């Protein structure tokens, strides 16, 4: 046979034989920044990290305590594929309390992180080649996920005039000839912008009228600084809503997310979950029950205010320095700042900023093809004294 | 626009518009058995569960203790996408100790369960439409995973004469015109059979010679009752090996697995992991470090011997009752028993066995199309007194 000759016992990886799914997945440019930052640090340089999309706060104490208590029981077995019934109910109650929306627990699926939630939603939303509209700039994993599932990611350029968010008119224009499918994200990574209520309402209603599929990524909900972010579920029950315990609830390493699905999809989603996850991490699910306690929520509100203060500080200072922040960063912990006053290429600027000033940020080109050379993403996942140090360094860098 | 008219505000789910990826995923028949068993139990009936593919032992004490200690530190953050460096090293050492094989830690990726490991392997092994050979009978999630990634699962009928295992000759016959890809599993679910050393060696060498991709599922390694199971890595470094802390290490609910990848794929696999997982559960990774301690290994060996005693008992009793067990079930915790002496349709037999005798088992049709009507899978994930009760009930059922 030997159709595929190998030399010196080295098989030719399929990845090099013109095509595997993973080929479509592009590396993050920030990884090079991170690697270089670590190199500099290990040579003794001080680096301020504003590139990291992970809250710096520890797991809320009541959550860790709940995990410890559960562990003392000794049994950490699979949960049902859809998740612990009591946690599904607790999340349903959260939708009622926070958003005034009735969501049946049967529509809520616990997943290994929001990544798992996206997997479930895409598995029922996609067929091979189906277009998925994505805001550009946006979270880069979306397009990679879509390609992995043999879908066709379609970048929809969005700018300051759209608050860097999708809307119904844009989706009408870009949906192509098939069932319209989109992933929206509010608050957005990398821009920190929140979709206006009317825009979200129109978006949800348009998808519903078209019989399309909208996946609303709400993983930064709770981290909002200009009034409560509105959920897509407030405007209809036919949207997929992805959320997570990672960001607002401060549980990144616990790897626990959830997806709310339209009722008609619940059976299919459960089948997929049984096959591709078996279940979400058990201990994380028991721990997460405590994330809704009064004590936890008080702590999370203190953290939200701390993030808000950091945002106010960093936003103000960046603007004073001459960066452009065209839309208020009202959520998450990101500022997407225009650095074209200082450089023609933000990636080159980011590399020099790291090398010369010891400040790590993420270049715009990790987030799409829509003028990425103008932008840098600053993550305020560090405390104000650290942000002050960063600002001082940046000031000396751009004025020196 | 309104290409997709919806009636009474009900959008037509894409799943009903002729095709989403999830359509290809079939439900497990055992779910109906489970649901009915629960119904019977809640009406007061006693049910013996031999359908469950989860060890009944709790998390080993040193593992739970390590998690508790780690929790006391309070920080449960993301780990690197590939996993904790010290755990990758510990697993590499395990390959050296147990199998006498040198595996670079850089080739080891921690994943959310073995399910996550399969995802990573398939993402680099597959392109749309690529055939993946699977033993029939076999673990049903394989074909569903392959379909979800737009591959083409290809059932290779295997019988007692092949120990219910793939081999090189079968793969040569079934590989089709493309890069040969297969998932093998030893010990096997549902048959509990272990691939002979020579057969595995030939299989590995054939795939290597063809520049194909073999994914060797070794998640039941450690649970073997006729000498150490041999790893595909003992015969070459170009196989993907999937393993897990769930079964032998008794850590199901912790959702932690790993995949060893050929060096040439490590970069692509890391890229995929960054995108689709971010990282495996952090606490589980710290806990798993303790799974290799002497104390844990001694406990795991006691459990292995307990499983062996259960196997000996149940195997012997089933054969005495007139079930056929054509190949020694030498691993995992399953016996795939031929019930054709009692019934023409094992699914119907399983339903009656549950209804009449209160014993839940899994019908063969969950595992493929190769004479499934002859077979039942018995899981000995229950202690000997429970197995005695089950055998008594089955005896009365088949003789009464």
């Amino acid at each position: 046979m030997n159709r595929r000759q190998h030399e010196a016992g080295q098989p030719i990886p399929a990845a090099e034989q013109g095509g595997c799914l993973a080929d479509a997945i592009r590396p993050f440019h920030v990884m090079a920044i991170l690697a270089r930052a670590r190199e500099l640090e290990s040579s003794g340089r001080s680096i301020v990290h504003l590139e990291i999309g992970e809250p710096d706060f520890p797991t809320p104490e009541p959550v860790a305590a709940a995990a410890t208590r559960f562990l003392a029981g000794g049994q950490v077995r699979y949960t049902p594929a859809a998740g612990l019934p009591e946690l599904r109910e607790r999340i349903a109650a959260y939708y009622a309390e926070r958003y005034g929306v009735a969501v049946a627990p049967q529509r809520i699926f616990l997943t290994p992180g929001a990544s798992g939630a996206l997997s479930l939603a895409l598995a029922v939303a996609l067929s091979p080649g189906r277009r998925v509209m994505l805001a550009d700039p946006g979270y880069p994993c979306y397009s990679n996920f879509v390609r992995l599932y043999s879908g066709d990611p379609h970048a929809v350029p969005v700018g300051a005039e759209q608050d860097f968010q999708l809307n119904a008119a844009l989706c009408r224009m870009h949906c192509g000839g098939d069932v319209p499918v989109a992933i929206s994200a509010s608050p957005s990574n990398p821009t920190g912008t929140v979709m206006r209520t009317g825009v979200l309402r129109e978006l949800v209603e348009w998808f519903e009228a078209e019989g399309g599929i909208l996946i609303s990524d709400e993983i930064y909900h709770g981290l909002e600084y200009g009034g409560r972010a509105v959920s897509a579920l407030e405007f209809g029950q036919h949207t997929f809503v992805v959320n997570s315990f990672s960001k607002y609830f401060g549980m990144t390493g616990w790897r626990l997310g959830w997806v709310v699905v339209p009722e008609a999809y619940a059976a299919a989603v459960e089948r997929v979950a049984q096959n591709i996850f078996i279940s979400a991490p058990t201990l994380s699910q028991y721990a997460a029950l405590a994330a809704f306690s009064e004590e936890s929520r008080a702590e999370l509100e203190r953290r939200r205010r701390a993030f808000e203060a950091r945002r106010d500080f960093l936003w103000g200072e960046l603007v004073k320095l001459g960066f452009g922040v065209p839309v208020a960063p009202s959520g998450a912990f990101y500022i997407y700042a225009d650095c074209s006053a200082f450089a023609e290429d933000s990636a080159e600027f980011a590399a020099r900023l790291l090398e010369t000033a010891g400040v790590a940020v993420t270049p715009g080109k990790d987030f799409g093809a829509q003028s990425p050379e103008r932008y840098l993403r600053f993550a305020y996942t560090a405390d104000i004294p650290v942000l002050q140090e960063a600002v001082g360094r940046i000031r000396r860098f751009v004025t020196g």
Side-chain angles (χ1 to χ4, degrees), chain A:
Chain A
M1 210 156 166
N2 277 318
R3 293 173 318 246
R4 310 275 169 187
Q5 280 301 343
H6 60 112
E7 290 164 39
Q10 280 294 102
I12 305 157
E16 294 167 21
Q17 289 168 349
C20 70
L21 297 170
D23 288 352
I25 293 192
R26 292 155 197 170
F28 304 132
H29 296 97
V30 72
M31 290 298 164
I33 296 273
L34 250 176
R36 181 61 185 148
R38 285 198 190 118
E39 228 173 73
L40 290 170
E41 279 173 323
S42 67
S43 78
R45 283 279 300 280
S46 140
I47 304 296
V48 180
H49 291 277
L50 302 185
E51 83 282 33
I52 296 173
E54 178 171 21
D56 51 324
F57 296 106
T59 302
E61 198 281 324
V63 172
T68 302
R69 277 196 308 278
F70 182 73
L71 265 175
Q75 283 277 32
V76 185
R77 312 196 60 174
Y78 295 129
T79 69
L84 274 185
E86 54 267 50
L87 185 54
R88 300 172 85 187
E89 277 163 28
R90 192 62 199 78
I91 293 171
Y94 183 65
Y95 279 103
E97 294 155 20
R98 185 174 180 88
Y99 302 102
V101 178
V103 176
Q106 293 72 30
R107 290 172 50 204
I108 299 169
F109 292 81
L110 277 306
T111 56
S115 310
L118 264 181
S119 280
L120 292 185
L122 288 174
V124 295
L126 287 185
S127 54
R130 183 170 283 173
R131 174 179 292 188
V132 179
M133 294 176 278
L134 303 168
D136 177 348
Y139 179 54
C141 296
Y142 294 146
S143 55
N144 289 331
F145 254 112
V146 169
R147 282 192 206 96
L148 205 61
Y149 281 109
S150 304
D152 174 27
H154 179 87
V156 177
V158 293
E161 58 285 16
Q162 292 100 7
D163 296 338
F164 295 108
Q165 292 282 357
L166 294 179
N167 61 45
L170 283 170
C171 288
R172 186 179 300 114
M173 202 183 325
H174 285 273
C175 64
D178 194 2
V179 184
V181 180
I183 306 177
S184 65
S186 172
S188 145
N189 176 6
T191 65
T193 60
V194 172
M195 200 183 278
R196 285 160 205 238
T197 301
V199 172
L200 180 56
R201 178 196 298 273
E202 256 189 52
L203 189 68
V204 168
E205 290 176 353
W206 183 78
F207 271 91
E208 202 157 311
E210 293 293 320
I213 295 176
L214 175 64
I215 300 171
S216 174
D217 183 342
E218 304 185 352
I219 67 166
Y220 291 103
H221 268 226
L223 295 177
E224 55 233 3
Y225 317 114
R228 182 179 70 78
V230 168
S231 170
L233 293 171
E234 295 179 48
F235 306 120
Q237 300 309 307
H238 299 289
T239 302
F240 288 78
V241 169
V242 167
N243 208 325
S244 159
F245 287 96
S246 292
K247 312 295 182 176
Y248 169 61
F249 293 101
M251 292 179 64
T252 48
W254 298 80
R255 310 308 302 119
L256 189 63
W258 74 82
V259 59
V260 181
V261 310
E263 202 183 334
Y265 288 96
V269 165
E270 181 152 15
R271 234 163 43 226
V272 178
Q274 284 167 357
N275 275 275
I276 71 172
F277 304 138
I278 304 183
S279 75
T282 300
L283 196 55
S284 305
Q285 294 187 62
Y286 281 98
L289 283 168
F292 298 97
S293 73
E294 243 177 75
E295 193 189 343
S296 291
R297 301 293 298 280
E299 171 61 22
L300 297 175
E301 173 56 19
R302 279 191 292 277
R303 293 178 181 189
R304 191 197 64 75
R305 286 199 301 264
F307 275 122
E308 185 165 15
R310 295 169 178 187
R311 179 204 65 155
D312 292 346
F313 171 76
L314 186 60
W315 181 16
E317 293 296 321
L318 288 177
V319 170
K320 272 193 256 168
L321 286 174
F323 289 88
V325 183
V327 186
S330 308
F333 33 65
Y334 304 116
I335 295 173
Y336 202 54
D338 184 332
C339 63
S340 57
F342 308 114
E344 296 207 338
D345 174 7
S346 60
E348 183 268 336
F349 183 85
R352 275 195 298 124
L353 186 66
L354 175 62
E355 214 63 45
T356 314
V359 177
V361 298
T362 306
K365 67 179 177 178
D366 261 352
F367 306 105
Q370 172 71 352
S371 310
E373 69 288 350
R374 299 177 71 96
Y375 289 97
L376 296 170
R377 188 192 75 176
F378 294 79
Y380 43 95
T381 47
D383 217 347
I384 286 186
V386 178
L387 299 179
Q388 282 170 329
E389 172 65 24
V391 166
R393 292 182 184 196
I394 297 168
R395 181 181 302 115
R396 289 189 292 278
F397 178 70
V398 297
T399 59

